[in-house]
Amino acid sequence: MIKYVHYPSLEDAFESTMEKDYDHVLIRHAYPMGRRIYPHRHEAHEWIIATHGHFKVESEGEEKEFKLDKGKTLVIHYPAGTEHGLTVLSD
């Protein structure tokens, strides 16, 4: 199951996500339409924090499409070892 939560702002998303007892590495990405990140796994937990865009995520055989506009922030959590990928459907 793809685990995600909507937050009213980016600040709320960071505050909630960073409260966890994990070490964090923040990496910022901006992907163009059509960009595909093929399914892969990490030894560490991963959180995707998105503020806008139209994209599809996949995890362990499940797919979910998101279309965000400015106004909400989405956080997706992939536990360590979980296969996941992403496809950008529009800018």
Side-chain angles (χ1 to χ4, degrees):
M1 171 180 251
I2 297 173
K3 299 175 185 177
Y4 65 94
V5 178
H6 288 279
Y7 291 92
S9 70
L10 181 60
E11 292 77 19
D12 291 332
F14 275 125
E15 184 177 313
S16 177
T17 303
M18 297 301 177
E19 288 177 0
K20 307 213 179 354
D21 292 328
Y22 299 107
D23 290 331
H24 293 88
V25 175
L26 297 176
I27 302 171
R28 183 177 185 270
H29 295 289
Y31 295 125
M33 184 174 72
R35 168 72 177 183
R36 172 135 166 80
I37 299 173
Y38 290 94
H40 60 283
R41 298 175 191 273
H42 301 282
E43 292 181 13
H45 292 268
E46 181 174 344
W47 286 266
I48 306 292
I49 301 175
T51 57
H52 63 280
H54 183 198
F55 54 94
K56 176 179 69 175
V57 295
E58 55 191 280
S59 179
E60 304 291 337
E62 180 184 354
E63 293 184 354
K64 178 112 179 107
E65 188 173 320
F66 296 96
K67 189 167 188 175
L68 304 175
D69 51 15
K70 308 251 182 194
K72 284 191 179 177
T73 298
L74 173 73
V75 176
I76 303 168
H77 176 230
Y78 297 113
T82 302
E83 183 179 78
H84 60 282
L86 179 138
T87 302
V88 179
L89 302 173
S90 66
D91 292 328

